[in-house]
Amino acid sequence: MTTFLGMPRVAPQPATAPQDPLRWGPDFPTAAHETLGNGQMRTNLRHATRTIRDKRLRMVSELPDWEELREAGSAIKHWTMSHLPELLVQLEENVTARGGVVHWARDAAEANRIVADLVRATGESEVVKVKSMATQETGLNEHLAAEGITATETDLAELIVQLAGDMPSHVLVPAIHRNRDEIRAIFTERMGDAPADLTSEPRALAMAARAHLRAKFLTARVAISGANLAVAETGTVSVFESEGNGRMCLTLPDTLITVMGIEKVVPAFQDLEVFTQLLPRSSTGERMNPYTTMWTGVTPGDGPQAFHLVLLDNGRTKALADEVGRQALHCIRCSACMNVCPVYEHTGGHAYGSVYPGPIGAILTPQLTGMGTRGATDPHDPTASLPFASSLCGACYEACPVKIDIPTALVHLRNRAVESQQRRLLPTGWEAGMRAASAVMSSGSRFAVAARAAGLGRIVARHDRIARLPYPGSLWTGVRDLPAPPAQSFRTWWKEHQADGATRPAGAPSPGSTAGNEA
Amino acid sequence: MRIALFATCINEAMFPQAPAATVRLLERLGHEVVFPESQACCGQMHVNTGYFREAVPVIRNHVRAFEPVLDGEWDAVVGPSGSCVGSVRHQQAMVARREGEDRLARDAELVASRTYELSELLVDVLGTTDVGAWFPHSVTYHPTCHSLRMIKVGDKPLRLLRAVAGIDLVELPEAQACCGFGGTFSLKNSETSAAMVHEKVRNVVSTGAEVLVAGDYSCLMNMAGSLSRQGTGVHAAHLAEVLASTREAPWSPTVLPGDRSRATAVPAAVPGPAAPAARAEEAGPAAPAGPAAAPSSVLRGTTAEVGR
Ligand code: SF4
């Protein structure tokens, strides 16, 4: 038992418990304002992403055929998406033929209901869980709790997030925003059976979690997991993990319930050859993840004797209908894009207000929530701000093991966000500005006039710089100077230059020398 | 060769020294430069902000302005901007097609296939890395994201810089990290953008270089704006300005001189190792280039004509 005096020191991040795991927060700029001010989080994050990033680069550069592997991964995903209905039916047939039961869930609520019913049918009220983005996405744990079922996360990082009442801030390392001292505090305050003398030494923390979880593994009769891949051809489902806690859940209990996004199917067993290489190197920077568990239906006398596979849509078919946006469904959740993203590095995952943060979250979340589609209800949906939460630097595209062109998808989704605003006749300041700019920038002569007018900006300039502008210019000048616009436009210079007998043949004296003479 | 200059809108409005330097450089190398007057903008700002429909007339204007390159009127089009050339190459046709303008999309693709960023034109098309430039300053080079990842110029700018006489090229730590400009991103997500540029500037200052060089004035405007606000004393220059600089017509700073008398403390974007503010002091003021009696620039005449 721990001795605990005074106020809990573990503040959940974010502070308010989410209603909808796909959109729990305000829009990105507002949320980023909060997270940018959290120095501890940013230090934690910076350190962690850099470490993983460097490891990934080392592991990737080891493979001479990395680019071909990425091509192969991308090609398999393209093929899969264009045959998704058939592949899912094939998967269902093969899982069923091998003793599993397949359930189809249109949305989060349906998936949660199916899982709760399945657990209740076993008569159990305690389940162990393998880390899973799909069940994070549906808010399964909260739903089960409301039904009187306790679900224990067994992935170390996920356990930390669960105990702290947090939301994950990274796909692979959900507690990346926490450091060792915070984790020690979380364990001592919330775990119940943490040793009284627990230190923040990594091994001590791991051993405390291990003891805590061991008791759960040995008593649990029902487990819930996600899936990294499912093979249509054989009905094989698989989980890739590092700790082995997942394998405990996948093998010890009597009943296994797997919730899987419909995009996780691959056509053939041989396709695993590609993803078993791409995934661990991209995510943890390892040649091979320590535990890859694969199971096909049920095997009498070995492992869980009841297997349920819940196929989750929850907005995925909507994304599939978008010819550019659909590539977000190719994602294998390796998190490489987060680890290289400068925006993520500064704002952290919580700024994205969704279980899917970072570059992939910026293109996946708004599609899952139906942003910009006809019939979507709220034009001010905070997820509509996500496609704009990128400087389009392209680092994510470069890192993505399945070559998702995230920058193009971002720009495409920005267009969808803009179009849906326009459909609702909500003229914004941006709208007016963009219209006016379009008129100016589609004609050389109009642009020349405008560029000359811009020179008037020199009036507000002091010492050749503008240090203060009214809103919205203040968004720039709040932290940066702006150079004074030039006194002479390029076009004017060009005319003088030409009049001067420009376009000299090779060998003619350089115009620079004339300049010197004049001076 | 006859080369058409795509000056780019931001250069025309704010940084005429970049296209002017491009003109002087290419002419010095013996080429003829043409400036198609009907050009305005490539459409990148509209596209990146999601205004595809509004981008179409802008794209059409650009494509029509540069179409003569297809009839052999010019041998190539050059743009001193990685992001604008990236937009020409990767966005114009995509957006035109999306908006049902198939013919425009085809034409855009053709024009794009003859359009080069400055370092690409010099190295790949004109086959030169030593352009005979003289630039007696310590320089650090930021490879802008779009040059690096969208049009993949690789080490061409560095090869050109290394061949410059008198230059002292200092490596920029975390050079490949984005400076946080991102067009309207710098306004729509101004705080995040600020955090990013602060980190970039800290890295720039840590090199002790006098001049920050990049191939894109949009990114330079962001970084120079921050360098200036923080009073670092580091100047900014476009790759074209460095390459156009010669002994006879040496470069002199035209953008945000970063007056150190206005210095404010370098804001700590990320807690951790303190900003190497001391290094800024060590860097010393950027030496005025060339004899003071010859105020010169890459521009025709003196800095008094343009940029001042
Ligand atoms: S988008 Fe690509 S890089 Fe990002 S998590 Fe998915 S697979 Fe990994």
Side-chain angles (χ1 to χ4, degrees):
Chain A
M1 272 289 96
T2 57
T3 45
F4 170 58
L5 302 166
M7 292 292 289
R9 286 151 300 170
V10 180
Q13 301 175 355
T16 41
Q19 294 296 309
D20 179 351
L22 282 177
R23 58 180 134 191
W24 73 61
D27 61 19
F28 187 87
T30 310
H33 174 76
E34 289 293 310
T35 56
L36 282 165
N38 185 342
Q40 180 65 66
M41 180 226 43
R42 289 174 67 194
T43 310
N44 299 349
L45 209 66
R46 189 185 157 87
H47 175 74
T49 52
R50 266 155 218 246
T51 311
I52 313 177
R53 196 152 85 194
D54 294 347
K55 249 177 103 185
R56 183 189 76 89
L57 273 181
R58 276 202 307 279
M59 286 307 132
V60 162
S61 61
E62 254 182 30
L63 287 189
D65 60 347
W66 183 251
E67 286 308 314
E68 286 85 347
L69 274 169
R70 286 178 79 208
E71 268 312 327
S74 171
I76 294 168
K77 285 293 185 181
H78 272 286
W79 201 89
T80 301
M81 291 312 145
S82 53
H83 296 79
L84 196 58
E86 304 95 278
L87 289 172
L88 289 170
V89 169
Q90 195 190 1
L91 175 69
E92 178 182 34
E93 280 166 8
N94 286 319
V95 169
T96 312
R98 287 162 179 84
V101 183
V102 174
H103 311 259
W104 298 76
R106 263 168 301 216
D107 54 23
E110 201 167 30
N112 290 345
R113 198 160 54 238
I114 292 168
V115 175
D117 288 348
L118 288 170
V119 176
R120 220 179 295 108
T122 66
E124 293 294 313
S125 62
E126 296 243 342
V127 301
V128 284
K129 283 194 70 211
V130 185
K131 176 182 164 346
S132 143
M133 290 311 297
T135 62
Q136 278 279 7
E137 176 185 325
T138 65
L140 179 65
N141 291 2
E142 292 75 13
H143 179 82
L144 290 178
E147 303 265 325
I149 299 164
T150 311
T152 303
E153 293 291 348
T154 65
D155 174 88
L156 180 54
E158 200 72 68
L159 176 67
I160 295 165
V161 168
Q162 190 184 34
L163 289 173
D166 257 0
M167 289 304 276
S169 65
H170 189 278
V171 166
L172 190 80
V173 201
I176 198 167
H177 55 290
R178 300 288 197 178
N179 66 12
R180 290 197 263 139
D181 296 322
E182 290 174 290
I183 294 167
R184 194 198 71 87
I186 292 165
F187 280 5
T188 11
E189 281 177 32
R190 309 277 170 89
M191 205 157 70
D193 53 359
D197 58 348
L198 183 63
T199 67
S200 57
E201 199 248 318
R203 187 177 158 78
L205 294 173
M207 293 314 280
R210 182 188 167 101
H212 174 75
L213 290 173
R214 186 55 57 100
K216 308 272 180 195
F217 291 137
L218 294 175
T219 51
R221 298 189 50 229
V222 179
I224 298 172
S225 84
N228 285 94
L229 292 157
V231 182
E233 179 188 59
T234 59
T236 304
V237 183
S238 74
V239 163
F240 291 53
E241 42 132 7
S242 299
E243 296 170 358
N245 291 345
R247 178 168 292 176
M248 294 276 203
C249 301
L250 294 166
T251 52
L252 287 173
D254 304 329
T255 301
L256 172 60
I257 304 165
T258 299
V259 183
M260 175 188 122
I262 51 174
E263 80 282 18
K264 292 297 182 77
V265 67
V266 292
F269 200 81
Q270 205 190 339
D271 298 329
L272 300 185
E273 170 192 343
V274 173
F275 295 106
T276 47
Q277 295 183 77
L278 287 176
L279 183 55
R281 283 179 202 257
S282 304
S283 56
T284 49
E286 293 170 299
R287 295 189 181 88
M288 187 73 218
N289 50 297
Y291 297 88
T292 303
T293 309
M294 297 189 193
W295 66 99
T296 310
V298 293
T299 308
D302 184 15
Q305 296 300 294
F307 170 52
H308 296 273
L309 181 62
V310 182
L311 296 174
L312 175 71
D313 183 336
N314 206 29
R316 286 164 174 76
T317 47
K318 259 186 291 181
L320 192 62
D322 186 309
E323 92 184 274
V324 181
R326 71 169 63 124
Q327 52 182 322
L329 299 176
H330 297 190
C331 175
I332 59 175
R333 311 277 188 263
C334 72
S335 75
C337 57
M338 283 152 234
N339 297 332
V340 298
C341 176
V343 172
Y344 177 92
E345 184 181 313
H346 286 283
T347 63
H350 288 154
Y352 296 78
S354 162
V355 293
Y356 297 113
I360 183 62
I363 62 169
L364 182 62
T365 306
Q367 294 197 80
L368 294 182
T369 59
M371 176 211 84
T373 52
R374 270 167 216 280
T377 44
D378 182 7
H380 301 296
D381 188 322
T383 62
S385 69
L386 291 176
F388 295 91
S390 165
S391 63
L392 301 178
C393 80
C396 48
Y397 184 19
E398 194 176 57
C400 178
V402 289
K403 297 183 90 158
I404 301 174
D405 184 352
I406 297 177
T408 297
L410 284 165
V411 167
H412 166 82
L413 292 171
R414 289 176 183 190
N415 176 239
R416 263 180 45 180
V418 164
E419 279 184 345
S420 79
Q421 293 266 357
Q422 289 175 333
R423 262 203 308 280
R424 289 189 181 78
L425 303 172
L426 291 169
T428 57
W430 282 100
E431 177 88 34
M434 287 292 161
R435 289 243 172 91
S438 173
V440 168
M441 289 172 163
S442 54
S443 146
S445 50
R446 283 196 294 269
F447 182 73
V449 171
R452 225 174 299 134
L456 296 175
R458 294 177 60 73
I459 294 166
V460 295
R462 296 190 61 196
H463 308 295
D464 292 313
R465 65 171 77 76
I466 299 168
R468 215 155 88 205
L469 280 174
Y471 184 86
S474 57
L475 293 171
W476 180 276
T477 55
V479 287
R480 286 161 287 226
D481 289 342
L482 199 61
Q488 186 192 33
S489 78
F490 175 74
R491 279 169 207 250
T492 317
W493 175 84
W494 172 256
K495 288 209 179 76
E496 288 177 9
H497 179 69
Q498 264 186 322
D500 213 37
T503 58
R504 294 156 178 81
S510 125
S513 56
T514 330
N517 295 342
E518 277 168 11
Chain B
M1 281 192 16
R2 279 194 105 201
I3 301 162
L5 173 69
F6 162 36
T8 84
C9 67
I10 188 169
N11 280 332
E12 272 208 53
M14 298 290 287
F15 307 102
Q17 58 271 35
T22 307
V23 171
R24 293 168 81 93
L25 167 66
L26 292 175
E27 287 178 354
R28 191 177 79 214
L29 295 173
H31 303 284
E32 184 187 345
V33 182
V34 183
F35 177 74
E37 300 258 353
S38 61
Q39 67 177 288
C41 168
C42 61
Q44 182 182 201
M45 180 185 78
H46 284 93
V47 174
N48 283 354
T49 317
Y51 289 80
F52 286 12
R53 205 187 310 138
E54 291 76 5
V56 170
V58 183
I59 294 171
R60 180 175 295 114
N61 182 66
H62 177 93
V63 172
R64 298 292 166 247
F66 289 97
E67 233 165 12
V69 74
L70 304 178
D71 303 332
E73 197 167 311
W74 314 311
D75 299 299
V77 178
V78 68
S81 158
S83 65
C84 304
V85 171
S87 169
V88 166
R89 230 176 262 172
H90 297 286
Q91 294 187 328
Q92 289 191 339
M94 183 266 284
V95 168
R97 205 158 274 131
R98 268 279 303 277
E99 295 298 307
E101 302 268 356
D102 286 351
R103 220 198 92 191
L104 177 61
R106 263 198 321 277
D107 293 348
E109 261 159 14
L110 289 172
V111 171
S113 70
R114 312 296 295 276
T115 304
Y116 303 90
E117 184 269 345
L118 179 61
S119 71
E120 289 177 328
L121 180 86
L122 291 169
V123 177
D124 294 345
V125 183
L126 305 179
T128 174
T129 45
D130 185 349
V131 297
W134 180 73
F135 198 81
H137 304 279
S138 62
V139 162
T140 195
Y141 171 75
H142 167 67
T144 61
C145 301
H146 288 179
S147 298
L148 196 68
R149 304 194 185 93
M150 204 174 189
I151 60 171
K152 302 197 165 38
V153 300
D155 66 348
K156 283 163 210 161
L158 279 172
R159 277 156 62 194
L160 289 159
L161 286 173
R162 277 189 214 114
V164 170
I167 202 167
D168 173 18
L169 206 53
V170 198
E171 201 184 319
L172 177 64
E174 306 203 35
Q176 302 202 350
C178 176
C179 74
F181 175 61
T184 48
F185 171 79
S186 58
L187 303 178
K188 289 199 169 215
N189 285 280
S190 57
E191 291 180 76
T192 308
S193 169
M196 289 161 72
V197 76
H198 284 163
E199 182 159 331
K200 176 59 72 179
V201 159
R202 225 192 335 276
N203 280 320
V204 169
V205 169
S206 79
T207 64
E210 290 165 61
V211 186
L212 168 66
V213 172
D216 211 315
Y217 250 125
S218 46
C219 316
L220 274 174
M221 178 173 71
N222 183 43
M223 295 181 289
S226 183
L227 285 164
S228 161
R229 177 62 55 88
Q230 297 178 29
T232 59
V234 181
H235 292 274
H238 193 282
L239 176 68
E241 294 175 71
V242 176
L243 300 180
S245 171
T246 57
R247 271 174 215 279
E248 300 77 37
W251 171 85
S252 77
T254 44
V255 180
L256 293 176
D259 172 5
R260 223 152 346 107
S261 61
R262 297 171 60 252
T264 48
V266 177
V270 174
R279 296 293 303 273
E281 296 304 319
E282 288 161 26
S296 54
S297 92
V298 290
L299 295 171
R300 177 74 188 79
T302 70
T303 47
E305 271 182 75
V306 175
R308 283 287 113 152

